[in-house]
Amino acid sequence: MSRHAVVTGAGSGIGHRVAVRFAGLGYQVTLVDINPALLSTAVQDCREAGADAARAVIADLGSPDGPENMITEAWSAAPVDVLVNSAGIYPATPFLSLDARSWDAVLNLNTRAPLLATVALAQRVVESQTANEPSRGASIVNISSGAALRARPGAAPYSTSKAALEMATKASALELGQYGIRVNAVAPGFVTVNSSTNPVTEEYAAAVSGNPLGRRGEPDDIARAVVWLAGDEAEWITGETLRVDGGSSTGAMNLPLHWAPQAGGEAGIGNS
């Protein structure tokens, strides 16, 4: 029987490509999104990639019961082996304009929803182990961001939500490992997704996409990493965040040399 992967935010961008890649590997795929039109197209793409059993679940994961209801519906089709928490929002909100509603909207979807979905899946996995499948486990991959390490103007809720998600990844991995449940995260650098939900200006994209490898990321760059981290080749990895960012987290690309090159000698090395 094929493995079952559930991917949230699967209507577009990174989530879409993650779902299609799992489909191409023979997984049964459940795609979750709040946008029915995008979800319908993504399901068709998965079926064309080889997942005849690809199915859609329309869900508002920012609501308190959304993650639990999603896992209930997905599990009713087949036990879930992989959960990828990719749904998220990235609104631009100046700090002085923040209020409880705007803060909660980001944290509820970006942090609370992956955590509650992880809890809901883990409960079912553990229940199945106490019945007839003691060896059943699961692999969970959360989609974080480079913003978890670097604050940026207008993104206080977003950066906080992703930093919290990385700690939630560690905390859940610590407690769930004994049940054969691995929990990891992938933190993309700037990825070109052309999202209508999370639009960014070209000025912003240019400012944050500099990296040692010299190009912007594509959704498939992230999808490859997610599928690997979720799979058997990474079976001894849990509680980790894999940064897939072209090297942008290694340091600052746009700073000048902090010394003046010296004529007649090696730059930056003084004479003794």
Side-chain angles (χ1 to χ4, degrees):
M1 184 175 181
S2 63
R3 293 184 176 184
H4 182 192
V6 175
V7 183
T8 75
S12 61
I14 292 171
H16 181 181
R17 296 310 304 169
V18 168
V20 170
R21 186 161 289 272
F22 275 120
L25 293 173
Y27 280 70
Q28 176 180 346
V29 185
T30 296
L31 297 87
V32 184
D33 206 283
I34 199 171
N35 187 314
L38 292 177
L39 200 52
S40 176
T41 299
V43 167
Q44 184 59 38
D45 290 343
C46 285
R47 288 174 178 165
E48 291 176 359
D52 294 336
R55 59 196 297 272
V57 172
I58 300 170
D60 177 7
L61 298 177
S63 67
D65 297 329
E68 169 72 28
N69 293 340
M70 169 196 69
I71 294 297
T72 297
E73 186 169 351
W75 191 275
S76 68
V80 176
D81 302 283
V82 174
L83 169 63
V84 180
N85 290 305
S86 182
I89 52 174
Y90 183 30
T93 308
F95 194 84
L96 293 179
S97 299
L98 280 175
D99 56 23
R101 179 174 297 181
S102 59
W103 179 268
D104 288 348
V106 177
L107 272 292
N108 288 350
L109 180 59
N110 292 8
T111 309
R112 187 181 71 181
L115 181 64
L116 293 181
T118 297
V119 171
L121 176 57
Q123 289 171 340
R124 286 158 177 79
V125 170
V126 172
E127 288 170 1
S128 73
Q129 291 174 341
T130 58
N132 299 317
E133 297 182 79
S135 63
R136 170 171 289 280
S139 180
I140 299 164
V141 181
N142 297 318
I143 302 301
S144 183
S145 167
L149 299 181
R150 296 184 297 176
R152 52 198 65 175
Y158 182 76
S159 295
T160 301
S161 75
K162 294 302 186 178
L165 181 61
E166 292 191 9
M167 181 49 69
T169 298
K170 290 179 179 291
S172 51
L174 187 69
E175 295 200 45
L176 297 178
Q178 63 183 305
Y179 304 110
I181 301 172
R182 298 189 299 113
V183 189
N184 291 290
V186 169
F190 183 80
V191 174
T192 303
V193 296
N194 299 318
S195 170
S196 59
T197 304
N198 298 304
V200 298
T201 65
E202 176 57 31
E203 179 185 19
Y204 175 86
V208 300
S209 59
N211 60 69
L213 294 185
R215 70 168 176 86
R216 298 176 184 180
E218 297 294 335
D220 274 326
D221 292 317
I222 311 306
R224 285 190 292 269
V226 169
V227 169
W228 175 80
L229 194 55
D232 291 341
E233 289 188 350
E235 66 179 4
W236 208 47
I237 300 174
T238 194
E240 294 297 326
T241 297
L242 176 62
R243 305 203 179 277
V244 185
D245 59 8
S248 62
S249 59
T250 60
M253 287 289 296
N254 58 349
L255 296 179
L257 295 178
H258 64 279
W259 71 86
Q262 299 176 6
E266 195 169 342
I269 301 178
N271 296 324
S272 58

